Each structure stands twice: as structure tokens, then as C-alpha cells.
Amino acid sequence: MEPLVITVAAVGAELTLGRQPNLPVTPEALARDAAECAAAGASIYHLHVRDENAEPTMSVERFRAARAAIEVATDLIVQFTTGGAVTDPEDARLAPLDLAPEMATLTTGTVNFGDGVFFNPVPLVARIYRRQMERGVFPEYEIFDAGMIATALHLRRELDADHHMHFDLVLGVPGALPAWEDALPFLVGHLPPGATWSATGIGRSHLAVAEQTIALGGHVRTGFEDVLYFAPGELATSNAQLIERVAALARRAGREIATPGTAREMLGLRPRPAIP
Ligand code: KMH
Ligand code: ZN
């Protein structure tokens, strides 16, 4: 099996500092967090940013500062969110792509998200995808429900996009596809030949999904965005703690841990671009 690429979803947009006091918020804290994550085995840093009140924001300047800090501190692939928070307007979600990050997410369908709605009508998804192609940004398709795989493939054809296909399968968001045991094999069975994939389980399902993913040959996403607790009643102390656990599971299963360089090769990424 391929070496395991670990993505850290370190910040998120739907959780508060009150619920997870160890959340990295400032560029300095993000750089420290990223360095710890890299040492623990992460390759990709999935980035949301916060404002001076630790509220989620899609401010381009905040993304610029956060990305610069992480890229100075580490060799990690910085992956911008284009999902933002469920309350973010369309233009705000697109704006940080002007910084031409190495990689960014692309959710290919609308889905209930707790009490909110993660709004992704096809014209908006196409707009984000087109902007990513114009800026040379590698997309990671975020799949919260099965139909999103079909939409990703449909849009790829429509836009005549030509890049390696990488999917992140997100199970267990309330209102989206639950982390049923047969969900992951079903989704993976519908991915196109040659695609790579990672998966994450939200909340309680997190560990079971990580173990199943490692066994199936996929890659793993972890981090505060997806899981707040290390064990029942025990808050995770850092993103690195969550990564160390995944890396230990992988080694036990005979999988090596990918470096950012290996991950870049697997995904077909060009060398890290400068911040414009
Ligand atoms: N905050 C969620 C509504 C992404 O980063 O691309 C969406 C999200 C997905 O976090
Ligand atoms: Zn996210």
C-alpha cells in the first residue's frame, strides 16, 4: 500500500475557542501548530482562519498571513478551504483563491450541516472550480454524500479539467452521509480508476473511520475541525496528538507515513508556488 498521507484539519469554522481552547488562531499559533503536526507526520494542512475575536473569516489578508507563517515554519502543503463557514457568502468563499494556494477544497454539492445548510449549487461549484483551474490550484473534492462524486466527475468533464483526482470522503456530519460501516467501501467503489482518496469521520466515528481507511488503503484526515475529543470526556490537547495516534495506527498496520514531498508526488503537485 502507498505511504499514508495525513491531512490535518486544524481549525475549522463551525467550532469555537470555548469548546476547544487549544485551537490555533493567530499566525504564530498556526505556525507552531503546523510545525508540531509536520513532526508528527502530517503532509497537508487544511486551513481555515479566524479573526481577532477567534471567529471564522474568509479575509484574504488573514489567509495570506496564516499561509506565510505556516510555509516559513514547515514544508507542509497548505490547503485553503473554499467551504468557509455555513454562513459565508459566495464571493467571500472564492476570494482567498487569488493567493493561488498549492491546494484548496471543492465541495461538489449542497448538504444539511447540523442545523445549517452547506450551500453548494452546481453553478457555484463550477465557479469555484474554474477559479481554481485559472489560478493553478489543485482541488481536493470534498464528498459529504454519494451524489457529490458524480457531480465532481461531471464538472471535471464540463470544464475539461486535467489533473490528478483526489477525493476526501467526510462521514458523519449530522444531516449528511453517516459513518455507516458499509459507507466507505461503497463510496470508494464508485471512485474513478487512478484516483486517490482520504477519509475522515466526524466526532464519535473518528477513530473507526481512520482504522477502516488505513486498512482499505486510503489516506486519513484528522484534526480539531473533525474531532474535539481524544477519548470520551477527554479533550484533545493538540492537533499533533491526533496525528500521532493516526500515525501509530498506520505503522501498526504496516503503512509508512508520507512526507510532504511524497504527498506532492502522489498528487502530481508542482513545486510550492510563491505567494503573489
Ligand atoms: N465549514 C463547513 C461548512 C471545507 O473546508 O471545504 C465546510 C468545510 C469544508 O469546512
Ligand atoms: Zn474545512
Side-chain angles (χ1 to χ4, degrees):
M1 283 190 199
E2 286 177 318
L4 185 83
V5 174
I6 303 176
T7 298
V8 56
V11 184
E14 318 302 332
L15 74 154
T16 61
L17 192 56
R19 289 183 65 212
Q20 177 42 277
N22 303 310
L23 197 68
V25 170
T26 62
E28 297 72 29
L30 286 164
R32 261 196 313 276
D33 184 72
E36 289 170 16
C37 290
S43 296
I44 303 175
Y45 201 88
H46 171 65
L47 182 66
H48 290 254
V49 296
R50 302 290 177 128
D51 67 14
E52 60 284 1
N53 300 313
E55 297 294 332
T57 173
M58 291 301 286
S59 153
V60 174
E61 287 319 308
R62 296 258 165 192
F63 270 93
R64 183 193 295 280
R67 175 180 166 194
I70 295 165
E71 289 187 352
V72 166
T74 73
D75 185 32
L76 292 173
I77 299 164
V78 179
Q79 179 197 78
F80 281 16
T81 178
T82 62
V86 284
T87 46
D88 280 321
E90 293 186 10
D91 287 347
R93 286 172 52 185
L94 278 140
L97 290 176
D98 286 344
L99 296 174
E102 202 168 358
M103 193 171 178
T105 56
L106 182 69
T107 299
T108 52
T110 296
V111 67
N112 284 329
F113 213 93
D115 291 339
V117 176
F118 185 22
F119 195 61
N120 294 292
V122 171
L124 170 61
V125 181
R127 205 177 147 212
I128 298 172
Y129 200 168
R130 212 171 281 120
R131 188 75 58 89
Q132 291 178 334
M133 294 301 96
E134 286 163 7
R135 301 279 188 272
V137 179
F138 180 76
E140 175 180 276
Y141 304 121
E142 301 298 313
I143 304 300
F144 293 81
D145 225 329
M148 294 187 194
I149 295 175
T151 305
L153 299 180
H154 165 74
L155 284 175
R156 181 183 158 86
R157 274 193 305 275
E158 285 267 295
L159 270 61
D160 208 12
D162 181 24
H163 55 79
H164 173 73
M165 279 179 281
H166 182 67
F167 294 80
D168 182 44
L169 312 174
V170 185
L171 302 179
V173 169
L177 184 61
W180 293 320
E181 230 180 286
D182 52 351
L184 213 46
F186 171 74
L187 294 176
V188 172
H190 287 277
L191 297 180
T196 49
W197 62 279
S198 61
T200 182
I202 304 301
R204 254 165 240 256
S205 65
H206 193 72
L207 206 46
V209 170
E211 284 173 336
Q212 194 183 20
T213 300
I214 290 166
L216 288 173
H219 304 284
V220 171
R221 186 175 111 164
T222 189
F224 290 156
E225 178 167 347
D226 299 344
V227 62
L228 291 177
Y229 289 87
F230 189 71
E234 184 188 330
L235 268 183
T237 54
S238 67
N239 282 302
Q241 182 193 33
L242 296 167
I243 291 166
E244 279 161 13
R245 177 169 64 179
V246 169
L249 286 173
R251 289 196 185 99
R252 209 170 304 148
R255 299 242 344 236
E256 283 175 27
I257 309 302
T259 62
T262 311
R264 282 188 177 90
E265 270 172 41
M266 283 167 52
L267 298 174
L269 297 182
R270 59 209 169 115
R272 183 195 260 176
I275 303 177

